[in-house]
Amino acid sequence: MSAIDTAEYRKLLEDEQARLLHAVGFLERENPGSISDELGELAEGGIDNHLGDTATAMYDRELDEGLEEGARETLVEINAERIEAGTYGICEGCGKPIGAERLAAIPWARLCIDDRRRANS
Ligand SMILES: [Zn+2]
């Protein structure tokens, strides 16, 4: 069992997911057809639609491929179903709990810091 407060992290994940979906939706209107196939299911998966204007204002500025790519990758990383499944906060590499500090910095982290470093090397 994990000692972390999953309700708190669920909110963090859902907030970030909503923010990114909003941003991706905006990018889609700028660059149609590049992202909807992969995220269509997610976008229709019950995300509340009452998003603020902050994300739009932010992403109004520098719109480029890198931003869309980053948002898409992070959306894939954010998998709130892991909370339901009870695997949230557990490293997918070694099966040990991911440190609370790491989760605080990257709530959607799926690997502990050691495995992340290994994956990057
Ligand atoms: Zn690990």
Side-chain angles (χ1 to χ4, degrees), residues 90-98 110-116 118:
I90 303 298
C91 174
E92 293 183 357
C94 63
K96 294 175 187 164
I98 297 169
R110 304 202 300 190
L111 294 170
C112 70
I113 191 67
D114 290 338
D115 283 309
R116 180 79 258 172
R118 265 195 285 278

Side-chain angles (χ1 to χ4, degrees), residues 47-87:
I47 302 300
D48 287 342
N49 235 354
H50 50 78
L51 300 170
D53 296 321
T54 315
T56 304
M58 275 181 59
Y59 286 96
D60 252 342
R61 286 178 283 146
E62 301 221 277
L63 298 172
D64 58 37
E65 298 264 322
L67 178 59
E68 181 172 342
E69 190 64 28
R72 178 168 55 181
E73 284 176 7
T74 304
L75 274 170
V76 172
E77 290 293 308
I78 297 174
N79 184 352
E81 289 171 7
R82 292 165 64 232
I83 291 177
E84 316 288 351
T87 58

